[in-house]
Amino acid sequence: MAYVIGSACVDIMDRSCMEECPVDCIYEGERKLYINPVECIDCGACETACPEQAITVDRLADPEFRADNRRFFEEPLSGRTTPLGTPGGATALGPVGADTEFVSAL
């Protein structure tokens, strides 16, 4: 995983990072955005675009948010029977409308 979106994004979702991402790997949950670790190319465009400074390189990210970011793609979310996995682009998928249990509990 190249980048992780942390707590500063919860209930803010400015979406500037989504506009800057050249590979469309930032997905919209209900209260937070998530970066797909498989699709991310580690370019850093999202980090510099975020006015909330919510995005950081994975090795420096809060371990809870690093693990939670993976869960968003690897485990079924509320109302879904299968995990998102690697959809191949956030624009085609659109807003997911659900968050992980961790973010929902914040």
Side-chain angles (χ1 to χ4, degrees):
M1 180 183 319
Y3 287 87
V4 173
I5 300 175
S7 62
C9 181
V10 176
D11 295 326
I12 301 293
M13 292 198 297
D14 172 75
R15 296 177 186 82
S16 296
C17 57
M18 294 176 83
E19 295 172 17
E20 293 300 319
C21 180
V23 293
D24 196 27
C25 70
I26 303 173
Y27 293 77
E28 184 177 340
E30 186 174 350
R31 299 177 56 206
K32 181 183 169 298
L33 302 175
Y34 302 82
I35 298 175
N36 189 300
V38 175
E39 297 172 353
C40 180
I41 60 170
D42 194 22
C43 70
C46 60
E47 183 181 29
T48 58
C50 180
E52 301 299 320
Q53 298 179 339
I55 303 174
T56 187
V57 67
D58 67 341
R59 69 182 180 279
L60 301 176
D62 179 314
E64 291 182 52
F65 277 91
R66 184 172 51 235
D68 187 64
N69 191 77
R70 284 194 174 277
R71 284 192 296 268
F72 184 79
F73 298 98
E74 295 175 353
E75 298 176 6
L77 300 169
S78 177
R80 295 178 174 266
T81 57
T82 58
L84 287 178
T86 306
T91 302
L93 183 65
V96 175
D99 286 300
T100 60
E101 288 182 22
F102 174 76
V103 170
S104 295
L106 293 177

